[in-house]
């Protein structure tokens, strides 16, 4: 956030301390595209372990005796040690050479140690910017607010998709009625077709037979279109669901389909009670 975007891949990074927090910093930097950094730590064992874990990153270990030299060659310095006293004081930082304009002209110190590793007076120096845990809390709060906003947006999408899914699931309850109605209509169509063809005699051509068959299918499909539409419920409101149930009852009575509607009726009433 504090570095020019053009310098994200080239800024010289220094991490002081390779403990739990230091390791998290290193992993975060790698996730942001950093491929090379210097890590100052009392022993090399922890740095070697991190290097083994992050094989594609160049991690250079330096002892604490080289800390100021390393800081002089860094654009961004992260500190995360358990030291009870500050490691970097005003005089130490004041003697460091300036950084280039490509990183904004100011050396950044990000102190995530408690107690602080960077003296409070360091922030008074020109061309130096110091950030500590309190500053990071503001970032965390902003990130939480952003995540909450995105979560609310996601919840709205989930609610809409859930509504559509429930409507689709409820519409499946009408499938038996639709199937029985189609089967009923098909039985009538086939029976009447056979009657028609028998009256036309055996010498009619296959083309004529096909034409008559297509005609009968077209008539049945057009007649069924209206009832089928009224058997589909989109779940958008209780009125539509109620009408669907009424239509199912009516079709069952008219055509003796005897479809089980109790399950759908129970769901529809439950939805109405919720509203």
């Amino acid at each position: 956030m504090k570095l020019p975007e053009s310098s994200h891949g080239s800024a010289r990074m220094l991490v002081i301390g390779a403990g739990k927090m230091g390791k998290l910093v290193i992993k975060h930097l790698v996730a942001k595209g950093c491929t090379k950094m210097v890590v100052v730590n009392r022993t090399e064992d922890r740095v070697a372990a991190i290097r083994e874990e992050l094989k594609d990153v160049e991690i250079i270990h330096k002892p604490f005796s080289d800390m100021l030299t390393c800081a002089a060659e860094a654009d961004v310095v992260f500190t995360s040690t358990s030291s009870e006293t500050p490691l970097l004081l005003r005089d130490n930082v004041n003697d460091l050479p300036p950084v280039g304009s490509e990183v904004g002209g100011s050396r950044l110190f990000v102190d995530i140690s408690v107690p602080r590793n960077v003296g409070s007076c360091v922030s008074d120096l020109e061309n130096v910017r110091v950030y500590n845990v309190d500053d990071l809390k503001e970032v965390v709060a902003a990130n939480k607010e952003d995540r909450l906003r995105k979560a609310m947006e996601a919840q709205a999408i989930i609610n809409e998709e859930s509504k559509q899914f429930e409507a689709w699931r409820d519409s499946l309850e009408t499938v038996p009625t639709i199937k029985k109605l189609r089967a009923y209509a098909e039985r009538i169509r086939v029976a009447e077709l056979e009657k028609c063809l028998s009256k036309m005699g055996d010498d009619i051509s296959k083309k004529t037979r096909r034409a008559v068959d297509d005609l009968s299918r077209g008539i049945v499909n057009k007649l069924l279109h209206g009832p089928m539409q009224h058997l589909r419920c989109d779940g958008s409101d209780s009125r539509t669901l109620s009408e669907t149930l009424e239509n199912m009852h009516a079709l069952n009575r008219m055509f003796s389909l005897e479809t089980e509607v109790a399950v759908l009726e129970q769901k529809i009433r439950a939805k109405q009670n919720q509203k």
Side-chain angles (χ1 to χ4, degrees):
M1 292 171 60
K2 302 302 181 181
L3 279 178
E5 188 172 351
S6 59
S7 67
H8 284 185
S10 59
R12 299 170 297 174
M13 300 292 180
L14 170 63
V15 180
I16 302 176
K20 180 179 179 181
M21 295 304 295
K23 183 178 180 180
L24 287 175
V25 169
I26 294 170
K27 286 187 173 182
H28 181 74
L29 291 174
V30 172
K32 293 297 181 181
C34 182
T35 58
K36 179 179 179 180
M37 68 191 74
V38 176
V39 179
V40 170
N41 198 59
R42 287 188 175 83
T43 62
E44 191 176 1
D45 294 346
R46 287 184 175 179
V47 179
I50 297 172
R51 189 188 296 126
E52 182 67 22
E53 187 175 342
L54 306 172
K55 296 182 181 295
D56 297 331
V57 183
E58 184 179 355
I59 300 176
I60 304 168
H61 169 258
K62 294 291 183 179
F64 261 95
S65 58
D66 292 344
M67 181 183 68
L68 292 178
T69 302
C70 294
E73 298 172 351
D75 299 313
V76 184
V77 180
F78 291 88
T79 60
S80 60
T81 77
S82 58
S83 175
E84 296 293 330
T85 57
L87 300 177
L88 296 165
L89 299 174
R90 180 188 178 95
D91 291 341
N92 303 135
V93 177
N94 193 41
D95 292 337
L96 300 179
V99 298
S101 59
E102 64 275 7
V103 292
S106 297
R107 180 175 278 106
L108 270 60
F109 290 87
V110 183
D111 186 1
I112 60 173
S113 305
V114 179
R116 296 178 183 177
N117 287 167
V118 180
S120 57
C121 55
V122 172
S123 58
D124 297 333
L125 296 172
E126 292 185 9
N127 300 324
V128 171
R129 286 184 288 170
V130 180
Y131 301 98
N132 53 43
V133 173
D134 293 333
D135 298 307
L136 294 177
K137 286 180 180 178
E138 295 180 7
V139 177
V140 171
N143 288 341
K144 283 185 177 180
E145 184 178 349
D146 184 57
R147 287 199 297 270
L148 178 60
R149 179 180 57 79
K150 290 180 178 177
M152 293 175 66
E153 293 175 357
Q155 188 61 51
I157 296 173
I158 291 172
N159 291 341
E160 180 61 28
E161 293 297 326
S162 296
K163 185 187 298 183
Q164 293 181 16
F165 172 78
E166 288 179 2
W168 170 79
R169 185 187 59 192
D170 289 343
S171 70
L172 295 181
E173 301 294 343
T174 65
V175 170
T177 297
I178 292 173
K179 286 184 175 180
K180 289 190 177 184
L181 182 58
R182 280 196 174 278
Y184 177 79
E186 180 64 13
R187 287 195 300 271
I188 295 176
R189 185 192 73 83
V190 171
E192 295 303 316
L193 178 64
E194 290 299 323
K195 289 180 183 179
C196 175
L197 293 176
S198 63
K199 290 180 180 179
M200 296 176 69
D202 297 332
D203 57 343
I204 60 173
S205 64
K206 291 184 178 180
K207 183 178 180 180
T208 302
R209 283 177 174 272
R210 190 181 307 112
V212 174
D213 184 78
D214 290 343
L215 175 64
S216 66
R217 290 180 186 277
I219 293 173
V220 169
N221 287 337
K222 287 186 178 296
L223 288 174
L224 288 180
H225 178 73
M228 293 301 179
Q229 286 296 106
H230 285 81
L231 284 178
R232 303 182 191 281
C233 56
D234 59 10
S236 59
D237 54 64
S238 59
R239 180 184 60 79
T240 302
L241 292 171
S242 297
E243 286 182 356
T244 300
L245 181 60
E246 292 173 3
N247 293 335
M248 288 181 65
H249 280 302
L251 287 170
N252 276 291
R253 288 194 303 269
M254 285 188 287
F255 299 105
S256 301
L257 300 177
E258 298 179 353
T259 302
E260 178 60 53
V261 297
V263 175
L264 179 60
E265 184 175 11
Q266 182 179 2
K267 289 185 177 181
I268 292 174
R269 288 175 177 170
K271 288 178 178 290
Q272 291 175 328
N273 292 335
Q274 289 176 358
K275 296 185 177 182

